[in-house]
Structure formats: structure tokens, C-alpha cells
Amino acid sequence: IQVGLIGVGQMGTDILAQIDQMQGMQTSVVIDIEVNRVVEALNAAGCKAEIAVVKSVEEAHKAISEGKTAISDNWHIATQVPDVQAIIDSTGSPVIGTEIAVDCCEHKKHIIMMNVECDITVGPILKKLADKAGVIYSMGAGDEPAALMELYRFADSLGMEVVAAGKGKNNPLDVFSNPDALAAKAKDRNMSPYMLCEFVDGSKTAIEMASVSNATGLVPDVSGMHGPKATRDTIHQVFCPKSEGGVLNNKGVVEYAIGVHPGVFLVVTTDNPRLREALIQRDMGNGPYYQLFRPYHLCSIEVPLSVAQVVIYGESSGHPGQKLVSECVAVAKRNLKAGETLDGIGGFCYRVSIEKAEEAQSNKMVPAGLIKGAVLAKDVSQGTVIDYSMLESIPDNALSRMRKRMDEENQ
């Protein structure tokens, strides 16, 4: 299997290292906006193949045919070179991710989307385009959404009722955090302070669980989810209906737990007395709620498994349905002033929260993926969800145009 990788940050470098250890798969084309970073990433990953810097699809094809790794700053080479069967988007940019996915469809490349911010904004229409093109649009194995999909497909196939699907929150939750406050910790962990802030302020949790929601039909029980404290032993006692001692108003929800990490979980139930007795015999507890727990998610290390899954079996590791079930919205972290230009997710201006899609749309809440670079038309107080009336306009780019198209098709 010939793979094209676009983006060689922390995750991309891990992918290079992992694929280099595997049989039957190789990273043939590696792209980044800085070619020197590609060289550094290949060296850090321990890749031994000879490197060829290329400037065209033809040069890339020649390099690959000679057993070399083609590298460039032009991502179109990866999506258009005939040798490559699957593309991994590890850019982290929703705008570029949209462009990459569209080009993959046009040139018949499978898409492994490590760009959850893009997926929760326009995933349904990208999946639709991939279907029409005869290629697979897939989450990347190892991230929480795909890891949860493994548990969900297992339980759903057995006819179990899914009460809650959730993840452990890996970092302390501070909804007002910003990159400056996290700069020292980010340096110690060799990561961008913006990326770390996206985790700490809860944005990444909302985004990941929205992706799961859109793939399964499960919904947030309340705005932003409950996010209670729990332990591995109490997950099924916490994420069950209030009438039975839990926190939930309804069954069939997405959630997260403070104090359970790493890993993802499902809380399930069944009304069948025989199966309840069988679950007791299998040491699952007395019920009626049972937990399925995956105590790890290896992020980029597992991503090559999605490549194999889409190429060999024609199956995704998870993907959105036809319409968004949940929407990610932007909540002001501080008092914002008219005329301010909003920064990105994990920045200083706003955090991401999760809402039911119908609620977000009826209240004209702006999808968080579209808001970077927008200018405020009025003052916005801390804790307020940003809606369209508060903005002068949304930046015109591939992502916003695709979102507009998706919304028009779903009307």
C-alpha cells in the first residue's frame, strides 16, 4: 500500500515512524509547507529510504518507481500522483483539509481524516463526495472517535442499547485557559501551546464527541455535556439515568468523564433476562448497566490500521452520517470587543462547546470551525455563544463555501 502523508507535525512524524515498521505499507509521498521539516521528520522517524525533493507529479512518480520517498511543499502532488492509494490528512487545518478531501475525491484517493475540526464542520458532505467518487472517507484509528466507534459497532451489532459513549478527559479542565498560561507546560511536552490549550479548555473533547455523535446519532444530553468525575469502576453508575443514581436525563448520549484516562467507554444495557444472567456470569456486574472500556488510544500510532482497512477491505474506521447530529459552537472566553478579529481554536478568544445541531441552527449559532478570522460586529460578553448576528462576516474560503453548500443541500 502506497501512502501519501500531508503534514509532519508531532502526529505526522509518529505516522512516518509507525508505517516504517510495518509490512506491506510505505509512505511514498510526504508533504509539508516546509520541505526541511519533512527531512527532519523522516530522520526523527528513523526512515531509511532515499529522499527525493520533487516539484511535480511526474517527478514524484519517477522517484517512487525508483524506491525513493518523494517529498515536497505542494500537497497536490500527493493527491494526484497515480502511485498513491490513500492520503492521510495530518495538517490540522480545516480549510486545507477540505481542499485535500475534495482533491482526493477527484483523483480517486481514499481519505484518512486526522482533521476532526474539518470533519465536524463539513464531514457529511465530504463523505457524500467520497461515496460518489468510489473512495472511502474515514476517521483515523487511534484517536478517541475511531476508538469509540470500535466499541459502538461491537455493542450495536449485538443489539445492545447504548446508554452513553464517552472519553476520559486527559487534562484538567480550565475553560478560560489560553496559550500564554500553558506555554511552559507545552514546551515541556514538546507541543504547541495552542494545541495544548485546545485540550485543556475542553474544545478538543467537544470536537471529538461531536464527531462520535455525527457518526452514531447519539446526542449531548445537555449543552456542553455533563463531564462529571468518575473512575473506571464507577463509569456505569455515573453515566446512567438520574432516576437510577446517575447524571443523565436521557439515554443515547455522548459524554466525557473527569478522572478516567486514558481510554474511551460505552455504557450499555439489555432488557433480556437471559442475557443479563449471562453478563453476570461473565463478571460484568449485576446490571442493568454495563461498561465496555478501551483503556488506551494510541493516536497516530494506530492510524496506519485505517489505511489498511480502507484499501484492503473498503471499510472506514468511522464516518459521519448524512447530516450533522451535533454542532460545535464557539463560547467567548473573555469579554470581546466589536472590531476584534477572532483567533483559532485553542486560542485566546473562545472555546468550543457541543450542542444538538437543530438547537444550534435554530439559534443561528456559528459553527466553530468557520469562525477563525471573523470580525466581531458587536461586543460579546464572556460565556456567550457567538451567533451570526455578532459577526460582520465569515471568512470566504474552501471550508465556508463547502459548509454553505452542505447547508443548502440539507434544506
Side-chain angles (χ1 to χ4, degrees), residues 219-236:
V219 297
D221 192 39
V222 294
S223 297
M225 302 178 289
H226 293 284
K229 291 182 179 180
T231 67
R232 289 191 187 186
D233 294 332
T234 62
I235 287 171
H236 61 296

Side-chain angles (χ1 to χ4, degrees), residues 113 115-124 137 139 211 214 320 324:
M113 179 65 76
N115 194 332
V116 192
E117 292 79 5
C118 180
D119 180 72
I120 53 95
T121 309
V122 293
Y137 173 97
M139 299 174 177
S211 180
N214 295 329
L324 294 179

Side-chain angles (χ1 to χ4, degrees), residues 210 213-220 323-327 355-358:
S213 172
N214 295 329
T216 62
L218 303 172
V219 297
K323 292 184 178 181
L324 294 179
V325 177
S326 290
E327 186 82 83
E355 291 279 356
K356 292 178 183 177
E358 57 189 25

Side-chain angles (χ1 to χ4, degrees), residues 98-345:
T98 302
E99 295 177 348
I100 289 170
V102 170
D103 214 45
C104 282
C105 293
E106 292 179 357
H107 294 90
K108 310 298 182 183
K109 310 294 186 191
H110 299 301
I111 311 153
I112 290 79
M113 179 65 76
M114 288 187 68
N115 194 332
V116 192
E117 292 79 5
C118 180
D119 180 72
I120 53 95
T121 309
V122 293
I125 192 169
L126 296 181
K127 169 66 167 56
K128 183 178 179 181
L129 293 175
D131 288 346
K132 286 183 178 179
V135 297
I136 307 299
Y137 173 97
S138 176
M139 299 174 177
D143 225 352
E144 280 102 329
L148 261 174
M149 288 306 299
E150 290 181 11
L151 295 181
Y152 179 85
R153 287 169 167 174
F154 170 80
D156 188 54
S157 296
L158 290 175
M160 295 177 173
E161 180 184 0
V162 177
V163 177
K167 59 164 283 184
K169 178 77 171 64
N170 294 352
N171 308 90
L173 179 64
D174 179 1
V175 296
F176 302 116
S177 186
N178 64 60
D180 285 349
L182 295 169
K185 288 184 179 179
K187 185 177 180 180
D188 290 342
R189 297 178 61 174
N190 193 30
M191 65 189 301
S192 160
Y194 289 86
M195 179 182 291
L196 181 56
C197 186
E198 185 177 352
F199 286 100
V200 172
D201 71 9
S203 294
K204 197 69 170 181
T205 295
I207 289 166
E208 288 171 338
M209 297 317 299
S211 180
V212 173
S213 172
N214 295 329
T216 62
L218 303 172
V219 297
D221 192 39
V222 294
S223 297
M225 302 178 289
H226 293 284
K229 291 182 179 180
T231 67
R232 289 191 187 186
D233 294 332
T234 62
I235 287 171
H236 61 296
Q237 297 168 347
V238 173
F239 296 102
C240 68
K242 287 180 177 178
S243 61
E244 299 181 65
V247 301
L248 302 181
N249 300 302
N250 302 284
K251 297 178 182 178
V253 304
V254 289
E255 264 299 338
Y256 71 99
I258 302 292
V260 179
H261 66 277
V264 296
F265 61 85
L266 237 58
V267 175
V268 299
T269 190
T270 175
D271 291 331
N272 187 290
R274 174 69 185 191
L275 293 178
R276 285 191 176 184
E277 177 63 29
L279 287 166
I280 291 173
Q281 294 296 328
R282 274 72 180 182
D283 298 319
M284 292 294 289
N286 293 324
Y289 301 103
Y290 314 90
Q291 68 183 57
L292 305 176
F293 189 73
R294 190 184 196 261
Y296 63 91
H297 67 97
L298 305 184
C299 303
S300 42
I301 292 173
E302 296 184 53
V303 168
L305 297 177
S306 290
V307 177
Q309 192 171 358
V310 300
V311 174
I312 298 171
Y313 299 111
E315 298 174 350
S316 79
S317 297
H319 54 262
Q322 295 183 352
K323 292 184 178 181
L324 294 179
V325 177
S326 290
E327 186 82 83
C328 282
V329 298
V331 182
K333 284 186 179 180
R334 55 178 175 81
N335 293 328
L336 303 171
K337 296 294 184 181
E340 278 195 64
T341 300
L342 296 173
D343 57 8
I345 297 169

Side-chain angles (χ1 to χ4, degrees), residues 326-379:
S326 290
E327 186 82 83
C328 282
V329 298
V331 182
K333 284 186 179 180
R334 55 178 175 81
N335 293 328
L336 303 171
K337 296 294 184 181
E340 278 195 64
T341 300
L342 296 173
D343 57 8
I345 297 169
F348 297 85
C349 294
Y350 59 89
R351 63 179 174 89
V352 176
S353 187
I354 183 174
E355 291 279 356
K356 292 178 183 177
E358 57 189 25
E359 182 77 13
Q361 290 159 14
S362 64
N363 287 287
K364 301 188 182 304
M365 300 174 182
V366 186
L370 302 181
I371 212 164
K372 181 179 180 179
V375 178
L376 289 174
K378 59 177 71 171
D379 293 351

